[in-house]
Amino acid sequence: MGNETTVETKIVKYIEKFGKPIEWTTIVEAIVNNKKPGHSRTVVGRKINSLVKTGELRKLSKEETLQWKIKRDHERATYYITPKISKAKEHLDSILLKVNNKTSISEIRLVLSEIFHYSYYNLSSKQLDTLVDFLKRDNLEIINLTLILLYEHIDKRKIEPSKDKIGELKAELNRILRKYPEKGTEQKNFRSYSISLLAYYKDLTILEQLKEDIKNCDMDTQGEDGFLNRYNQKYLLNLIYESGSELYDIQKNLIKNGKKEKSDLIQKLRDRVKERMEENKK
């Protein structure tokens, strides 16, 4: 009995770890792979059915899988969710659906706070679409909080806004970078998130932004380190490494204009990127 209870607990914890519906085979294989007594496919499958009967798990209908934008591996694939995650989705859906372009900054701040409160829950693509609209509000706090959530979901949790919203997201990120140049500590965090997300989507406007950041970089220790950290990151490695000619031309123009220090900074960035690329090949 002890083993069976452990299996039930592990099933629930496994699903809640992802904060979204999980397919039956994925759940079973994850628990069976623990190679513990009582963790056979038959036992795990039986316990999933038992948890559904007791209400500790819920099996999604085909319509619900569409709402979650789940790509079914096959027609018979079944997905399960816990009441905790289900309630979080219903609650956040209800408040996000009420947001429009007339919603006050104070209310949007409250909505974002509520999303952070339910950090265990993975936002759906549709919910992320609403967050993209938050970027249009010219409020630094709202922009920063929104970008933290977008970066967390897109980069870490591998959940993206809808395909028809990606272009809008990239446009807003570029607009934010143009409107809030490299000045002061307050802007640096959300500028880093903006650049990271554009790099994730392989947006070539990053090179233009790099030029602007070089112009505005204060060249003190904090400014130099901030610049290098911002551009020496995983999604930008290939782009920077393969843009040697463009970056060389930028360096040459900087030297002509008496800005050798800034040219050296680009060289330092290129050298660091090269080192990381070579390390990745090992």
Side-chain angles (χ1 to χ4, degrees):
M1 189 70 183
N3 278 337
E4 291 190 358
T5 302
T6 302
V7 173
E8 290 175 331
T9 302
K10 286 187 176 182
I11 290 169
V12 172
K13 286 186 175 180
Y14 179 77
I15 296 173
E16 290 192 339
K17 179 176 73 172
F18 293 96
K20 63 180 181 180
I22 304 294
E23 200 267 328
W24 186 91
T25 305
T26 304
I27 301 167
V28 172
E29 289 180 353
I31 306 302
V32 170
N33 284 341
N34 284 325
K35 296 180 181 178
K36 297 276 182 75
H39 286 53
S40 69
R41 291 177 67 87
T42 302
V43 169
V44 176
R46 189 170 68 241
K47 297 317 296 179
I48 289 174
N49 292 335
S50 175
L51 288 166
V52 171
K53 288 177 182 176
T54 60
E56 293 170 80
L57 282 188
R58 190 166 65 77
K59 180 179 172 181
L60 264 62
S61 66
K62 287 184 180 180
E63 291 73 21
E64 286 177 308
T65 60
L66 291 174
Q67 290 172 11
W68 281 85
K69 297 199 172 180
I70 293 171
K71 295 179 181 177
R72 298 167 69 88
D73 296 330
H74 53 85
E75 188 61 28
R76 296 180 63 186
T78 53
Y79 291 80
Y80 295 84
I81 193 171
T82 66
K84 179 181 178 180
I85 299 168
S86 189
K87 286 177 182 176
K89 182 183 189 306
E90 289 173 12
H91 173 57
L92 294 177
D93 268 344
S94 69
I95 61 176
L96 285 168
L97 284 170
K98 294 173 185 174
V99 174
N100 55 50
N101 56 11
K102 293 182 180 179
T103 304
S104 69
I105 291 296
S106 297
E107 189 175 339
I108 289 177
R109 189 180 292 113
L110 183 61
V111 170
L112 289 168
S113 176
E114 196 72 356
I115 293 172
F116 278 104
H117 179 74
Y118 289 91
S119 59
Y120 60 83
Y121 167 74
N122 282 341
L123 293 172
S124 66
S125 293
K126 187 176 180 181
Q127 290 170 331
L128 290 177
D129 290 349
T130 302
L131 294 193
V132 173
D133 292 333
F134 287 178
L135 296 177
K136 297 172 186 175
R137 302 298 184 104
D138 283 325
N139 179 285
L140 296 183
E141 182 186 5
I142 298 301
I143 290 171
N144 193 50
L145 292 174
T146 300
L147 285 173
I148 290 171
L149 288 168
L150 285 169
Y151 182 78
E152 167 68 21
H153 281 75
I154 294 170
D155 180 64
K156 308 295 183 187
R157 306 188 189 191
K158 305 304 177 188
I159 304 170
E160 300 181 39
S162 303
K163 284 184 179 180
D164 58 358
K165 203 75 173 176
I166 301 298
E168 195 173 322
L169 170 60
K170 291 193 289 186
E172 284 303 313
L173 293 172
N174 275 300
R175 184 189 68 81
I176 288 166
L177 289 170
R178 287 194 302 271
K179 179 156 188 173
Y180 301 101
E182 178 84 2
K183 291 178 184 177
T185 307
E186 187 178 19
Q187 286 87 359
K188 287 180 181 176
N189 283 339
F190 72 70
R191 284 181 59 80
S192 292
Y193 287 123
S194 297
I195 289 167
S196 297
L197 287 169
L198 284 170
Y200 177 90
Y201 287 111
K202 298 179 174 62
D203 192 295
L204 296 178
T205 58
I206 287 290
L207 290 179
E208 290 302 315
Q209 192 55 51
L210 186 149
K211 289 182 193 176
E212 289 302 312
D213 280 359
I214 277 287
K215 287 179 187 176
N216 294 308
C217 185
D218 292 332
M219 295 306 297
D220 58 15
T221 304
Q222 185 179 5
E224 179 176 317
D225 287 346
F227 173 83
L228 291 171
N229 291 334
R230 191 168 299 119
Y231 285 96
N232 181 25
Q233 49 138 311
K234 57 184 178 181
Y235 295 123
L236 272 171
L237 294 181
N238 282 325
L239 178 61
I240 290 175
Y241 188 74
E242 293 169 3
S243 300
S245 296
E246 293 90 336
L247 293 172
Y248 176 80
D249 287 341
I250 295 172
Q251 288 179 261
K252 189 168 66 173
N253 287 329
L254 286 168
I255 291 172
K256 280 183 180 178
N257 290 304
K259 297 177 180 178
K260 184 180 180 299
E261 277 188 322
K262 294 193 174 184
S263 174
D264 290 344
L265 184 56
I266 293 181
Q267 189 61 50
K268 191 180 289 187
L269 171 64
R270 293 177 65 191
D271 290 343
R272 288 194 185 182
V273 167
K274 181 185 174 185
E275 286 175 14
R276 286 189 64 183
M277 293 287 287
E278 289 173 349
E279 285 172 9
N280 291 342
K281 289 179 183 177
K282 294 177 182 177

